[in-house]
Amino acid sequence: MVNVVEVKTKKQQKEFLNFPLRMYKNNPYFVPPLYADEAKIFRKDYVYYDTSEAVYFLAERDGKTVGRISGILQRSSNEKWDQKRVRFTRFDCIDDAEVAKALFDAVENFAKERGMTEVVGPLGFSDLEREGLLIDGFEELSTFEEQYNFPYYGKLIEACGYGKEVDWIESKLSYPQDEGGKMEKMADYIMKRYNLHFGEAKSTKDFLDRYADDFFDLLDRSYEKIYGTVPFTDGMKKMMMDNFKLIININYVAVVLDENNKAVCLGLCFPSLAKAMQKSKGHLTPAALIRVLNALRHPKIIDLALVGVDPEYENRGISTVVVAELMKMLRDRGVDYAETNLNLEDNYSIRNAWKRFDQVEHKRRRSYVKSLAENEK
């Protein structure tokens, strides 16, 4: 018999955090989140709780944990998109349909009690969190920014009545051997045509001091219609700034300014922390800290994190500038390849831009949705 309990005690909170670490122990593709950051979900002052309500469940059988899940009522998302949804996230489960159904029943009941009509996910509090269920690419190393899961998860979710809403594609990008500086010439032409220039910064702190406000403005406007996004709050901005201070390498960021020194395009790449965090199960031990610092200083893989573009410049070829800068990073800094993280499958403008690289689309993720009203009929 499966017993689902809501996480209330410190012991249950610890079990919720540790269960996936046990499930994926020694899995070569799983990359844990930073444990200290993940533990913040149980703090009353967690940055997202001014716009959200969350619940956390554990599934138990014969005294052992066999699954976990979280439900999120993201009010600002529902208001923005005019929806009545609860998001599910942090779903981990043994390969057992009874356990999965018990977990999703708990989240669906949470949603119904609050008058919601749909459950969707995996989606976190915002698109800054890990999202999407891996449905292809199970033998690829996960990025630090995204979650790995076993192949059977999709089968369990679909058996609970969930269907596809959207898919994301992830790609590996390598420097194209026949490039010969062609993209740089095109980028130079676009920069001159629109009186654009690159912003400068002496350090990470200098970069954030100069461009952080412009960056958040660009993200809010350029991501406004992107699936799953929510407006930035002051708390979210502060959280991002604190995280950026730790993981930004100034060599892997770029900001494009207009003639009035206003940012019109800003992109961030992060040195990959995937391998650095695997051995310590997400704990920032002294040994893990050394691995992280080495990864930040001499990355072999870089992860594409965030790109913001002023909507006025979207049709002016500014993506060429982003592509050219990324190519220079791959060519000149000893980087093996870049990981795109998540691109919506119908975002053809960005997917076509990646075709200028030696590209391999190696992972696919999915967000599922279930109508609770139809389920009641």
Side-chain angles (χ1 to χ4, degrees), residues 87-105:
R87 300 175 168 200
F88 76 85
T89 184
R90 294 170 172 84
F91 169 67
D92 289 291
C93 181
I94 63 171
D95 190 2
D96 188 304
E98 181 186 15
V99 175
K101 184 178 185 305
L103 287 167
F104 278 98
D105 282 350

Side-chain angles (χ1 to χ4, degrees), residues 147-186:
Q147 183 70 16
Y148 181 82
N149 56 262
F150 290 126
Y152 63 78
Y153 278 35
K155 175 191 67 177
L156 295 179
I157 292 172
E158 291 168 8
C160 291
Y162 290 77
K164 172 186 173 179
E165 182 160 64
V166 300
D167 278 6
W168 294 271
I169 306 296
E170 298 178 60
S171 297
K172 282 183 182 179
L173 307 178
S174 301
Y175 184 79
Q177 297 305 310
D178 61 348
E179 164 55 25
K182 290 180 289 187
M183 292 302 298
E184 289 183 52
K185 293 177 182 178
M186 293 174 61

Side-chain angles (χ1 to χ4, degrees), residues 190-191 194-201 207 210-211 214 218 254-266 313 318 321:
I190 290 169
M191 296 283 281
Y194 297 111
N195 295 317
L196 305 176
H197 61 281
F198 286 105
E200 297 181 353
F207 175 83
R210 289 182 186 226
Y211 306 119
D214 281 347
L218 284 175
V255 57
V256 179
L257 310 176
D258 66 11
E259 64 270 24
N260 298 313
N261 286 322
K262 177 186 176 183
V264 298
C265 179
L266 197 155
Y313 283 81
I318 202 168
V321 177

Side-chain angles (χ1 to χ4, degrees), residues 314-333:
E314 284 183 349
N315 296 320
R316 300 185 186 182
I318 202 168
S319 62
T320 301
V321 177
V322 175
V323 169
E325 284 303 295
L326 180 56
M327 283 186 178
K328 287 166 65 176
M329 293 177 192
L330 294 173
R331 183 191 65 200
D332 299 340
R333 301 194 178 278

Side-chain angles (χ1 to χ4, degrees), residues 1-9 11-13 15-16 19 22 56-69 92-94 96 98-100 102-103:
M1 179 178 177
V2 180
N3 183 37
V4 174
V5 297
E6 183 177 348
V7 173
K8 295 287 189 181
T9 68
K11 182 178 180 181
Q12 290 171 331
Q13 292 172 3
E15 180 65 11
F16 188 91
F19 175 68
R22 293 199 304 271
Y56 304 91
F57 295 108
L58 289 170
E60 300 172 344
R61 179 189 281 154
D62 299 328
K64 294 183 179 180
T65 301
V66 288
R68 71 166 194 169
I69 200 169
D92 289 291
C93 181
I94 63 171
D96 188 304
E98 181 186 15
V99 175
L103 287 167

Side-chain angles (χ1 to χ4, degrees), residues 203-212 241 244-245 248:
S203 64
T204 298
K205 182 179 184 304
D206 186 31
F207 175 83
L208 294 174
D209 288 344
R210 289 182 186 226
Y211 306 119
M241 290 283 285
F244 287 170
K245 290 174 184 177
I248 284 181

